[in-house]
Amino acid sequence: MRRRTAGAIVTAGAVTGALLLTGCGGSASGSEGGGPELSVSAAYMPQPVSDSMAAGFLTITNKGGAQDELTSVTSAAAGSVTVHETTGGAMREVDRLAVPAHGRLVFRTGGDHLMFDMLKRKPEQGQTVLVELHFATSGDIKVEMPVKSATYNPATGH
Ligand code: CU
């Protein structure tokens, strides 16, 4: 009996708290709390075999409470950069990829990747390729993508 009563009180308190939080977020201009909070890590480009085409990988982390979407990628080093996903062994170009709230969008070998076409010149190991990521909500993020060996494995760092 006592337990049931206590439980009801706790529930009522939680509901009140949630309502207060909602009211608070609504009055803010979206500069804090509600929006996506993106950061980029583990960016690299394996030195390509081809003179004109290369792949790129990175991880986008979202610490915010709202999802965002990667809508396009640009780089002065390439005539075009497209976003590809790999499903069932076949890759296809996609318009956008979601970066879930409190989650990550991971580009990795055999999975989602960036595709650089019409390279101005062949990237060599030790160089850096500057890439600009564009999002539906967040501002642009510039990434210096180091060119690694053709067989670079981010898990081992070699
Ligand atoms: Cu591809």
Side-chain angles (χ1 to χ4, degrees), residues 21-35:
L21 281 176
T22 305
C24 206
S27 63
S29 57
S31 57
E32 59 178 38

Side-chain angles (χ1 to χ4, degrees), residues 86-138:
T86 307
T87 40
M91 69 176 189
R92 65 185 186 96
E93 188 178 335
V94 290
D95 267 359
R96 47 186 61 215
L97 283 177
V99 191
H102 304 294
R104 298 191 304 171
L105 171 59
V106 181
F107 293 85
R108 61 163 73 90
T109 312
D112 297 341
H113 55 278
L114 304 180
M115 203 76 150
F116 297 76
D117 284 303
M118 296 176 274
L119 290 168
K120 305 277 159 68
R121 63 193 174 90
K122 185 178 172 179
E124 304 283 349
Q125 185 175 350
Q127 294 176 343
T128 303
V129 175
L130 189 64
V131 178
E132 203 162 317
L133 309 177
H134 308 279
F135 298 92
T137 306
S138 304

